């Protein structure tokens, strides 16, 4: 599994712990921003991660985006066709996002989640397969026709 990670200044330190965790579970983690800039803006990092996920599009390529609330990242990421970003605050949400909606971008909050909670969310999101139920596939196809 290959994971592209991006964060604005609000999630920069949080991301360091997530990168360490991903290496312990044998995930290839690629950091799209390795310099802390207190004046940066989240859309640029959402764009970088989404572009990489789309350029390497497969079931084994996903992204994780982190900002203060997670809201900005999920809004930015979902502007990309074929990107299904989900903002998750617990493992149950992560399970549903993967099982039902084939989420390929996980958005996390560095303000409202702890690193330990994020690890549980990430683990669930990584191990949960997409159920591929006809109704789920139909709905995802409909999403790609929007806008």
């Amino acid at each position: 599994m290959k994971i592209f990670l991006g964060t604005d200044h609000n999630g920069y330190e949080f991301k360091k712990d997530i990168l360490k965790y991903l290496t312990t579970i044998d995930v290839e983690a690629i950091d799209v921003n390795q310099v802390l800039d207190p004046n940066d803006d989240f859309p640029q990092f959402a764009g970088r991660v989404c572009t990489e996920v789309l350029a390497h599009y497969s079931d084994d390529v996903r992204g994780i985006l982190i900002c203060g609330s997670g809201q900005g990242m999920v809004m930015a990421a979902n502007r990309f066709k074929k990107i299904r970003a989900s903002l998750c605050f617990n493992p149950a949400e992560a399970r549903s996002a993967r099982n039902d909606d084939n989420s390929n971008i996980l958005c996390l909050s560095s303000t409202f989640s702890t690193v330990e909670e994020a690890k549980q969310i990430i683990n669930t999101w990584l191990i949960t397969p997409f159920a591929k139920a006809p109704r789920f596939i139909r709905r995802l196809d409909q999403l790609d026709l929007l806008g």
Side-chain angles (χ1 to χ4, degrees), residues 1-97:
M1 171 98 31
K2 182 185 286 191
I3 303 288
F4 291 94
L5 281 99
T7 180
D8 67 1
H9 57 279
N10 283 316
Y12 193 82
E13 295 302 318
F14 195 89
K15 176 190 67 176
K16 288 180 181 179
D17 291 327
I18 299 305
L19 281 166
K20 287 179 194 172
Y21 171 67
L22 290 173
T23 61
T24 67
I25 59 170
D26 202 29
V27 169
E28 180 185 358
I30 299 150
D31 187 356
V32 302
N33 64 308
Q34 299 177 10
V35 177
L36 175 60
D37 177 359
N39 297 311
D40 64 15
D41 297 313
F42 67 85
Q44 62 186 312
F45 303 113
R48 286 181 196 170
V49 167
C50 291
T51 299
E52 290 292 344
V53 168
L54 292 170
H56 301 88
Y57 199 79
S58 81
D59 290 337
D60 289 333
V61 177
R62 298 186 202 163
I64 295 176
L65 293 168
I66 306 164
C67 69
S69 69
Q71 297 291 352
M73 288 296 198
V74 75
M75 289 178 195
N78 278 321
R79 292 183 180 249
F80 289 79
K81 193 174 194 171
K82 299 255 183 233
I83 292 295
R84 296 169 304 279
S86 53
L87 174 58
C88 297
F89 290 96
N90 60 60
E93 289 176 315
R95 185 176 300 105
S96 177

Side-chain angles (χ1 to χ4, degrees), residues 74-119:
V74 75
M75 289 178 195
N78 278 321
R79 292 183 180 249
F80 289 79
K81 193 174 194 171
K82 299 255 183 233
I83 292 295
R84 296 169 304 279
S86 53
L87 174 58
C88 297
F89 290 96
N90 60 60
E93 289 176 315
R95 185 176 300 105
S96 177
R98 284 287 310 137
N99 184 79
D100 301 4
D101 302 311
N102 200 16
S103 169
N104 55 7
I105 302 280
L106 174 63
C107 298
L108 297 168
S109 165
S110 62
T111 302
F112 303 117
S113 298
T114 66
V115 170
E116 288 309 310
E117 290 168 334
K119 289 177 184 178

